[in-house]
């Protein structure tokens, strides 16, 4: 119990053995506030119709139809996006598989070639030699990534 509750009891103050004295509490209910009466309010209030007119109903139905149409289209587009993402994942897996197969085949081809035999054939049978320092011509590559040949290379 709160100390405040101990000394107060329904508007009376308890102070030792003295008699209770009534505390004066303002009575807000007795104050008269100028409020218009209900009958006067009803006289000046505009009359409300209890239904909805045809134009409002038509606009409401049209708005609902447009909303449903947009929701349906949104769900279709969302479904298409999900399907395309699945297709992309499948194609990426296929690409990874083909790249792995290509790398395996390339390694197999490189393992079958005897580079020493190619070197001996090029030098012995075809007469190829390493170029001298003055025979090497360097060039800067073009932005296009290829070289345009304007004439045949002399033999």
């Amino acid at each position: 119990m709160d100390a405040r509750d101990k000394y107060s009891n329904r508007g009376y103050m308890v102070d030792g053995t003295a008699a209770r004295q009534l505390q004066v509490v303002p009575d807000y209910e007795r104050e008269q506030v100028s409020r218009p009466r209900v009958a006067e309010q009803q006289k000046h209030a505009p009359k409300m119709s209890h239904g909805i007119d045809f134009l409002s109903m038509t606009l409401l139905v049209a708005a609902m139809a447009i909303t449903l149409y947009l929701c349906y289209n949104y769900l279709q587009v969302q479904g298409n996006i999900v399907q395309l993402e699945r297709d992309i994942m499948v194609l990426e897996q296929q690409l990874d598989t083909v790249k792995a197969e290509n790398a395996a085949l390339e390694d197999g081809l490189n393992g079958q070639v005897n580079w020493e035999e190619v070197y001996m054939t090029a030098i012995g049978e075809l007469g190829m030699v390493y170029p001298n320092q003055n025979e090497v011509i360097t060039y800067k590559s073009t932005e296009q990534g290829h070289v345009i040949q304007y004439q045949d290379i002399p033999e």
Side-chain angles (χ1 to χ4, degrees), residues 109-126:
L109 287 176
N110 287 338
Q112 293 176 355
V113 175
N114 185 355
W115 295 108
E116 186 67 31
E117 185 181 328
V118 171
Y119 177 76
M120 294 307 288
T121 304
I123 290 179
E125 294 178 15
L126 300 175

Side-chain angles (χ1 to χ4, degrees), residues 33-153:
V33 179
S34 61
R35 295 182 188 164
R37 296 181 185 224
V38 177
E40 291 175 9
Q41 287 179 349
Q42 289 177 353
K43 286 181 186 177
H44 299 294
K47 292 188 178 182
M48 301 287 289
S49 84
H50 295 288
I52 186 167
D53 61 341
F54 180 74
L55 180 62
S56 298
M57 180 61 82
T58 304
L59 290 175
L60 180 64
V61 169
M64 288 174 49
I66 290 171
T67 303
L68 288 175
Y69 176 74
L70 291 176
C71 289
Y72 178 75
N73 281 341
Y74 175 76
L75 290 176
Q76 276 189 328
V77 169
Q78 190 69 22
N80 290 341
I81 289 172
V82 168
Q83 184 61 39
L84 289 174
E85 287 176 350
R86 288 181 188 153
D87 293 345
I88 288 171
M89 286 175 36
V90 168
L91 291 173
E92 284 177 347
Q93 289 174 352
Q94 289 176 356
L95 178 64
D96 290 340
T97 303
V98 170
K99 281 183 178 180
E101 289 175 2
N102 190 23
L105 289 173
E106 192 173 299
D107 290 342
L109 287 176
N110 287 338
Q112 293 176 355
V113 175
N114 185 355
W115 295 108
E116 186 67 31
E117 185 181 328
V118 171
Y119 177 76
M120 294 307 288
T121 304
I123 290 179
E125 294 178 15
L126 300 175
M128 297 179 84
V129 294
Y130 281 106
N132 294 330
Q133 187 67 18
N134 59 356
E135 294 176 339
V136 177
I137 300 171
T138 59
Y139 66 95
K140 294 181 180 178
S141 64
T142 62
E143 293 178 16
Q144 298 170 351
H146 63 278
V147 176
I148 299 173
Q149 181 177 341
Y150 294 108
Q151 297 179 6
D152 288 336
I153 299 174

